[in-house]
């Protein structure tokens, strides 16, 4: 790989410009440090560094409770991911069908699920479905909408993967006597999957984010458990900060994994 | 079908207002997020290591935090730090922060598509680094991010639904559906109407994005 752009941009600065850059660098660092101090002072001034507010993090029970919330988040995200992968495949097959009666409904379902906010789907499961006699558990009121809207996204990812498989592969497999279903299952789809694995893993980040809405249906995921902690200990800022750090770490780990998978294999 | 007509007769103006509020939140957070994201991208190019370090952290944090967790923090936790922001600006701020992080990420990818040789050429013609950025690098990068930015705009539009989580004075589409579903049995019809509005908005954005993409793309 060639040098990064920023290195070329600033590769041949004059000694004077270099000195200025260094000076600005130092003052920026100082400004950022003062900003950080200011934030810490703000916490202190508002009494948010009080031991009373942070004390609960010294107890094991707090962490067990938060870990349970995280498990709830992951349990919902995992099931939603499975729904998305399976239903996405169904939608893909429909989308690629040569029959209009199958293709158009599949397109409609994909566009609909992609074009509507997940939160709206959750509200439908939560508020509207019970009025027509369908009652879901809190777990499914969260997992089903998240899985459905992800399925549509996954279907489009699958399709991008399938379209990226060279045509010659299909032609060759067909001329060897495989039927269309066999070509898809044994030749095209496995290769398509390889292309899109990084994007699929990256989509997991969005799934985890969407499960945050679990508190809307009072499903015990991380956000909901955080709210319970806050209600019990009145420690708003610390709990939300810790939860934000937990979410960021989980999603950062997933993003990293996706980037790793995205690197070319040798 | 009849129930939808009845619903529109009862709540038609409310849906119109809700759609307008959804659009307003979308546009304001997208414009602010785009501008902020561009500033961040350029600042990350500068040879100032502490700034780069902090901005990389900024992008990672706001790319990975769930928007609703951020919104709840801004609305309910910041007052404990004596920072009071009204509900509507809070929603816009949340989406702006998230949008700016994604914009910075996409623009960086766009910048990476610009060949290093162009920068070398521009530099050896005597152009200053900032001029190279503003007249060689950024124009090409911007042209190459039309598609991801269109997706981001649609994603932001759908994310305005999280405004239903705070007591905004007006109601956007999702909050309106939640209220109608709570008060009456017309939840499903309300959902159908709101879904149609989201879908049409999304399709309009996608269509405009595709038209823009066709106009400005660089064929290599």
């Amino acid at each position: 790989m060639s040098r990064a752009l920023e290195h070329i941009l600033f590769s041949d600065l004059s000694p004077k410009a270099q000195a200025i850059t260094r000076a600005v660098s130092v003052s920026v660092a100082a400004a950022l440090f003062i900003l950080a101090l200011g934030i810490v002072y703000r916490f202190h001034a508002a009494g948010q560094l009080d031991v009373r507010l942070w004390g609960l993090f010294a107890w094991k029970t707090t962490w067990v409770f938060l870990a349970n919330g995280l498990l709830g988040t992951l349990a919902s995200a995992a099931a939603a991911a499975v729904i998305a992968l399976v239903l996405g495949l169904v939608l893909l097959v429909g989308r690629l069908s040569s029959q209009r009666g199958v293709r158009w409904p599949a397109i409609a379902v994909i566009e609909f699920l992609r074009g509507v906010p997940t939160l709206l789907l959750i509200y439908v499961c939560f508020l509207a479905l019970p009025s027509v006699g369908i009652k879901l558990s809190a777990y499914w009121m969260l997992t089903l909408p998240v899985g459905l809207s992800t399925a549509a996204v996954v279907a489009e990812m699958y399709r991008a993967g399938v379209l990226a498989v060279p045509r010659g592969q299909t032609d060759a497999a067909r001329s060897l006597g495989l039927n269309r279903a066999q070509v898809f299952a044994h030749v095209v789809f496995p290769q398509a999957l390889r292309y899109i694995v990084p994007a699929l893993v990256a989509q997991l980040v969005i799934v985890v984010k969407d499960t945050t809405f679990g508190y809307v249906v009072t499903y015990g995921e991380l956000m909901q458990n955080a709210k319970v902690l806050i209600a019990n200990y009145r420690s708003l800022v610390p709990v939300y900060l810790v939860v934000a750090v937990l979410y960021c770490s989980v999603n950062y780990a997933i993003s990293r994994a996706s980037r790793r998978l995205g690197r070319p294999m040798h | 079908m009849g129930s939808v007509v009845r619903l529109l007769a009862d709540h038609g103006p409310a849906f119109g207002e809700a759609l307008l509020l959804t659009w307003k939140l979308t546009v304001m957070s997208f414009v602010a997020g785009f501008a902020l994201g561009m500033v961040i991208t350029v600042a990350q190019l500068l040879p100032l290591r502490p700034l780069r370090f902090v901005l990389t952290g900024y992008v990672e944090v706001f790319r990975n935090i769930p928007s609703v967790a951020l919104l709840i923090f801004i609305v309910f936790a910041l007052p404990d730090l004596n920072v009071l922001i009204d509900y509507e600006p809070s929603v816009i701020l949340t989406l702006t922060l998230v949008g700016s992080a994604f914009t910075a990420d996409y623009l960086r990818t766009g910048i990476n598509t610009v060949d290093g040789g162009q920068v070398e050429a521009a530099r050896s013609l005597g152009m200053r680094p900032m001029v190279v950025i503003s007249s060689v690098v950024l124009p090409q990068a911007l042209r190459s991010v039309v598609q991801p930015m269109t997706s981001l705009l649609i994603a932001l539009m759908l994310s305005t639904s999280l405004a239903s989580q705070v007591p905004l004075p007006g109601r956007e589409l999702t909050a309106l559906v939640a209220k109608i579903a709570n008060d009456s049995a017309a939840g499903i019809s309300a959902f159908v109407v709101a879904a149609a509005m989201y879908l049409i908005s999304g399709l309009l954005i996608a269509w405009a994005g595709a038209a823009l993409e066709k106009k400005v793309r660089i064929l290599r």
Side-chain angles (χ1 to χ4, degrees):
Chain A
M1 198 186 138
S2 62
R3 287 186 303 161
L5 220 67
E6 49 261 59
H7 294 304
I8 310 174
L9 266 169
F10 299 98
S11 55
D12 48 357
L13 294 179
S14 67
K16 197 177 144 207
Q18 277 179 15
I20 294 173
T21 306
R22 257 196 303 275
V24 174
S25 243
V26 170
S27 36
V28 166
L32 289 171
F33 184 69
I34 291 168
L35 182 70
L37 275 186
I39 292 171
V40 171
Y41 179 75
R42 184 118 218 168
F43 272 72
H44 171 73
Q48 290 298 326
L49 293 179
D50 213 277
V51 182
R52 192 171 44 83
L53 292 176
W54 291 87
L56 70 151
F57 291 109
W59 308 331
K60 204 176 136 211
T61 48
T62 307
W63 291 105
V64 170
F65 192 61
L66 283 177
N68 275 334
L70 196 55
L71 278 182
T73 294
L74 296 179
S76 177
V82 171
I83 292 175
L85 288 175
V86 174
L87 184 63
L89 186 57
V90 173
L91 288 174
L92 168 77
V93 172
R95 177 79 176 78
L96 294 177
S97 166
S98 51
Q99 258 145 35
R100 230 176 282 162
V102 180
R103 192 170 68 235
W104 283 106
I107 293 176
V109 171
I110 291 173
E111 289 302 326
F112 175 76
L113 291 176
R114 269 197 335 155
V116 171
T118 312
L119 184 56
L120 187 63
L121 293 179
I122 292 175
Y123 270 123
V124 168
C125 291
F126 182 46
L127 297 172
L129 286 189
S131 71
V132 290
I134 304 169
K135 285 213 163 62
L136 299 168
S137 67
Y139 176 74
W140 287 110
M141 281 195 284
L142 173 67
T143 307
L144 194 65
V146 174
L148 287 178
S149 43
T150 313
V153 179
V154 168
E156 285 298 288
M157 284 183 184
Y158 282 152
R159 195 167 78 96
V162 166
L163 294 181
V165 176
R167 220 6 286 168
Q169 298 272 337
T170 312
D171 296 343
R174 288 287 277 152
S175 61
L176 285 173
L178 273 68
N179 65 32
R180 282 171 56 98
Q182 285 171 324
V183 171
F184 181 78
H186 299 299
V187 179
V188 175
F189 192 65
Q191 296 187 66
L193 213 47
R194 280 219 148 176
Y195 288 124
I196 59 163
V197 160
L200 283 176
V201 175
Q203 188 65 26
L204 256 184
V205 172
I206 298 173
V207 173
V208 170
K209 281 182 181 173
D210 280 347
T211 61
T212 320
F213 291 123
Y215 75 88
V216 173
V217 297
T218 57
Y219 166 67
E221 42 77 57
L222 189 51
M223 201 66 189
Q224 164 70 12
N225 284 12
K227 294 207 163 213
V228 173
L229 276 182
I230 289 165
N232 284 330
Y233 300 107
R234 299 174 193 288
S235 162
L236 210 68
V237 176
V239 172
Y240 277 138
L241 271 184
V242 169
V243 165
V245 170
L246 285 176
Y247 271 119
C248 280
S249 325
V250 169
N251 285 337
Y252 183 67
I254 300 173
S255 308
R256 278 294 291 266
S258 151
R259 253 174 269 169
R260 250 195 132 91
L261 289 166
R263 263 189 249 144
M265 280 179 268
H266 295 291
Chain B
M1 215 51 223
S3 56
V4 170
V5 173
R6 204 166 338 115
L7 179 84
L8 280 180
D10 289 350
H11 297 281
F15 270 103
E17 280 165 32
L19 181 63
L20 281 183
L21 182 58
T22 296
W23 283 352
K24 181 183 154 199
L25 293 173
T26 308
V27 170
M28 290 183 78
S29 45
F30 180 75
V31 171
F34 186 61
L36 187 57
M38 206 140 92
V39 172
I40 291 169
T41 312
V42 172
Q44 274 182 317
L45 289 174
L46 301 178
L48 307 172
R49 198 163 289 178
L51 193 62
R52 269 187 203 164
F53 179 75
V54 168
L55 289 179
T56 309
Y58 173 98
V59 171
E60 286 302 336
V61 166
F62 289 114
R63 250 165 46 99
N64 286 318
I65 197 168
S67 320
V68 70
L70 183 60
L71 177 68
I72 287 176
F73 187 84
I74 291 176
V75 170
F76 298 110
L78 282 189
D80 275 14
L81 295 166
N82 299 327
V83 181
L84 269 171
I85 307 173
D86 206 3
Y87 294 122
E88 198 176 298
S90 296
V91 174
I92 295 172
L93 177 64
T94 303
L95 295 176
T96 301
L97 291 172
V98 173
S100 70
F102 279 97
T103 302
D105 191 45
Y106 296 148
L107 265 181
R108 179 68 236 198
T109 313
I111 282 181
N112 286 343
T113 64
V114 178
D115 187 50
Q118 292 193 26
V119 178
E120 277 171 350
R123 288 286 284 134
S124 52
L125 284 173
M127 287 165 90
R128 290 160 152 275
M130 285 317 283
V131 180
V132 179
I133 292 174
S134 65
S135 49
V136 177
V137 177
L138 268 188
Q140 298 187 65
L142 284 173
R143 280 162 176 251
S144 71
V145 295
V146 173
Q147 229 168 35
M149 289 310 291
T150 309
S151 311
L152 179 64
L153 180 53
I154 295 176
L156 279 181
M157 199 256 307
L158 298 180
S159 296
T160 57
S161 62
L162 57 85
S164 62
Q165 300 307 302
V166 293
L168 217 60
R171 287 197 179 82
E172 47 66 58
L173 283 173
T174 300
L176 183 64
V177 172
K179 184 182 174 341
I180 293 176
N182 229 345
D183 297 350
S184 65
I188 299 280
S189 338
F191 163 66
V192 170
V193 173
M197 287 178 162
Y198 277 120
L199 273 174
I200 292 168
S201 310
L203 288 176
L204 281 178
I205 297 172
W207 172 78
L212 185 64
E213 159 86 13
K214 211 169 180 181
K215 211 169 156 196
V216 303
R217 76 177 149 202
I218 305 167
L219 297 171
R220 289 182 211 273

